[in-house]
Amino acid sequence: MEQIYVDHAATSPMHPKVIENVYETMKSQFGNPSSIHSFGRQARSILDNARSVMAKSIGALENEIIFTSGGTEADNYAIFGICESKTRKGKHIITTSIEHHAVLHACEQLEKKGFEVTYLSVDEYGQIDLQELKDSLRDDTILVTIMYGNNEVGTIQPIKEIGNLLKDHSAVFHTDAVQAYGIEEINVTKQHIDMLSVSSHKINGPKGIGFLYVKNGIKLTPQLFGGEQEKKRRAGTENVPSVEGFKTAVEIAQQERLAKRETYQKYKEMILSILKDNNITYRQNGLVENSLPHVLNLSFPGTNVEAMLVNLDLAGIAASSGSACTAGSIEPSHVLVSMFGDVERTKNSIRFSFGLNNTETQMEKVGHELVKIIHRLTH
C-alpha cells in the first residue's frame, strides 16, 4: 500500500539536493567558522553565502540574519531578547490567541516575571481585528508578536497593515513566519517587519536549523552565553552542514514558489471537489481566499478526530489535527477554540498539508478514502 504524506505543515521531507549538499559539506568542511586558518575561512564562506541568500529572500541585509536552532529558538530569542532589553520602557506585550506554542508559552513565562500580555481575539476565520490591535496599543507596549500564516488553518494575518500601524510606535513588531516562509512573498522592508522567525524543516531543509531576522538598530539581550558567534548575538559554533542544506532549500523554494502555490491550490480544489461530488458534509476552517495554499483544514460533522486519524492512517494517509490526542481524551486545538469556542467543530477537524512528492493521483486517493471513512463513521 502506498503511503501518502499530507502533513507537511508538521515537517517536510528533505529535498534530495539538500541531502546531497549537507553530505558533501559534512565530508569536506569540518572547520570552525571562527578559526582564522584556511579550514575556518572555508566554513565561514559557507555561512556568509547562506546568510546572503536568506537575507535576499526576505528583502533584508546580510547582517540582519541570525542563525538559530530552528523556529522555537528564533521565536524565544525575539520575545525574551526584546523584553529583557526594553524592560525600562515598559512591560506590555501584544500577541494573539492562535500563536504557535513557541510564542504562547514564551509569553506565559514572561507573565510569571511581571510582564502583562494582551491576547488579541480572532474571528471565526482566524483573523485578528486591526481596530482591536490599535485599541490595545499603549505607551508601555514594547512588543507586538503576531504570526504571519497560521499552521493549523492557514489563515494569513494582515501583516503589512500591522506593520504600517506600528511603524510610528516604539513597539517592536515580530512575526512568526515559520509556516509562511518559502510559499508567501515576504519583504520585511515593505511590510515594516522588525523581527521574523523561520525554520528550515518546513521547506524541505534539515531539522534543527532556522534564522531570526532582526532589523538593524534593534537590540536583543542574548539568551545563550559563550563565544562571540553571530556577531555576539548567539553563542555556539554554527552548524555549517545544516546551514548549507538550509541555503539549498531556500534557493529551491524561491525558484519554485509560484509553481508550488498553483499546485497546492489545485490539490485543495481536487479534494473538495471529490467531497462535494459524493455529498459529504464538511466545513472549511480558516479563510478560503487569504490563506496559505498548502494548508487545508476541514471539519466533518458526526466524526471525531481520533477515529478519523486512525482510519486515515490505516488507509496509508498521514494527516493531522491541531489536537493533542491521547488515548481516551482529546484536547481541542487552541486555534479552533479561539475561532469557534468550545463546540463540536473543534473536535472533528482534520488538517491536510501538501508538499514535496505529493501528486494529483495521491490527492484523488485522499479524497476517495475520506469519502469511504466518513461514510463508515457516520452511517
Side-chain angles (χ1 to χ4, degrees):
M1 179 173 61
E2 184 194 11
Q3 298 288 307
I4 299 174
Y5 186 77
V6 277
D7 197 18
H8 293 262
T11 193
S12 65
M14 276 168 68
H15 193 285
K17 283 184 186 171
V18 171
I19 295 169
E20 196 180 309
N21 286 2
V22 169
Y23 175 65
E24 284 304 320
T25 307
M26 290 174 95
K27 233 177 23 167
S28 61
Q29 303 291 342
F30 61 85
N32 188 320
S34 299
S35 301
I36 60 170
H37 49 59
S38 61
F39 293 89
R41 291 197 306 274
Q42 285 166 14
R44 169 63 52 193
S45 170
I46 290 170
L47 294 186
D48 291 345
N49 289 339
R51 213 183 298 276
S52 170
V53 166
M54 286 159 203
K56 279 180 190 151
S57 73
I58 57 168
L61 301 171
E62 288 175 35
N63 67 352
E64 295 175 321
I65 303 294
I66 302 169
F67 290 119
T68 67
S69 64
T72 294
E73 189 196 333
D75 283 341
N76 272 243
Y77 188 13
I79 294 165
F80 289 111
I82 275 296
C83 289
E84 287 176 24
S85 71
K86 283 183 167 277
T87 305
R88 289 180 185 174
K89 293 184 179 175
K91 284 193 161 189
H92 181 233
I93 304 162
I94 298 174
T95 187
T96 79
S97 57
I98 62 162
E99 296 298 309
H100 188 277
H101 284 121
V103 169
L104 290 179
H105 290 166
C107 288
E108 286 166 17
Q109 195 61 31
L110 284 165
E111 284 182 291
K112 293 175 188 171
K113 295 182 179 181
F115 285 81
E116 189 184 341
V117 182
T118 297
Y119 296 92
L120 300 176
S121 61
V122 293
D123 61 19
E124 63 182 305
Y125 302 105
Q127 200 158 47
I128 66 157
D129 179 354
L130 282 167
Q131 190 58 49
E132 187 188 351
L133 170 58
K134 202 171 184 178
D135 294 344
S136 301
L137 277 172
R138 309 186 322 210
D139 290 343
D140 64 337
T141 305
I142 55 173
L143 173 68
V144 175
T145 174
I146 294 174
M147 72 184 346
Y148 201 112
N150 187 264
N151 52 302
E152 290 188 29
V153 296
T155 295
I156 295 171
Q157 299 301 336
I159 295 297
K160 191 174 182 181
E161 290 79 356
I162 296 167
N164 280 329
L165 181 62
L166 293 171
K167 68 180 180 185
D168 297 322
H169 193 282
S170 60
V172 171
F173 175 33
H174 166 253
T175 184
D176 174 342
V178 166
Q179 206 59 243
Y181 181 73
I183 200 80
E184 295 298 318
E185 187 176 1
I186 298 172
N187 186 298
V188 291
T189 309
K190 290 178 183 172
Q191 293 169 298
H192 303 289
I193 297 166
D194 297 316
M195 299 192 294
L196 177 140
S197 304
V198 168
S199 182
S200 159
H201 76 104
K202 304 290 187 182
I203 61 160
N204 312 117
K207 291 175 178 61
I209 188 80
F211 75 72
L212 175 65
Y213 152 77
V214 182
K215 185 180 175 182
N216 280 338
I218 290 175
K219 296 282 182 282
L220 292 184
T221 301
Q223 300 300 298
L224 294 174
F225 301 92
E228 298 190 349
Q229 292 88 355
E230 298 300 291
K231 293 189 167 59
K232 301 183 183 180
R233 298 172 299 187
R234 199 266 188 189
T237 302
E238 294 93 344
N239 185 345
V240 178
S242 288
V243 167
E244 174 61 27
F246 188 9
K247 181 198 80 170
T248 306
V250 171
E251 288 172 331
I252 294 167
Q254 294 295 304
Q255 289 159 12
E256 298 179 354
R257 190 179 72 81
L258 294 175
K260 278 181 181 173
R261 290 180 65 82
E262 213 172 282
T263 301
Y264 300 155
Q265 195 55 48
K266 194 173 183 181
Y267 290 169
K268 276 188 187 181
E269 286 160 11
M270 284 178 74
I271 291 172
L272 296 180
S273 174
I274 290 167
L275 295 176
K276 282 173 192 162
D277 290 348
N278 287 275
N279 298 313
I280 296 294
T281 304
Y282 72 87
R283 285 176 291 188
Q284 191 168 339
N285 298 324
L287 285 170
V288 175
E289 294 301 323
N290 197 23
S291 178
L292 297 172
H294 65 298
V295 176
L296 177 64
N297 193 304
L298 299 175
S299 157
F300 298 105
T303 69
N304 75 75
V305 165
E306 223 162 4
M308 283 290 289
L309 290 178
V310 168
N311 276 271
L312 283 164
D313 193 42
L314 288 170
I317 297 165
S320 76
S321 76
S323 313
C325 298
T326 53
S329 71
I330 295 176
E331 185 186 315
S333 145
H334 69 285
V335 174
L336 297 178
V337 170
S338 297
M339 288 162 63
F340 309 122
D342 189 13
V343 295
E344 200 57 36
R345 193 165 174 178
T346 64
K347 301 175 183 78
N348 61 26
S349 293
I350 302 288
R351 180 187 70 186
F352 304 91
S353 47
F354 318 119
L356 183 69
N357 301 325
N358 284 151
T359 63
E360 288 185 22
T361 308
Q362 287 184 342
M363 295 310 114
E364 280 180 18
K365 185 176 178 190
V366 169
H368 290 301
E369 288 296 337
L370 263 176
V371 170
K372 284 187 218 169
I373 292 164
I374 290 156
H375 277 148
R376 199 156 58 234
L377 295 178
T378 57
H379 285 77

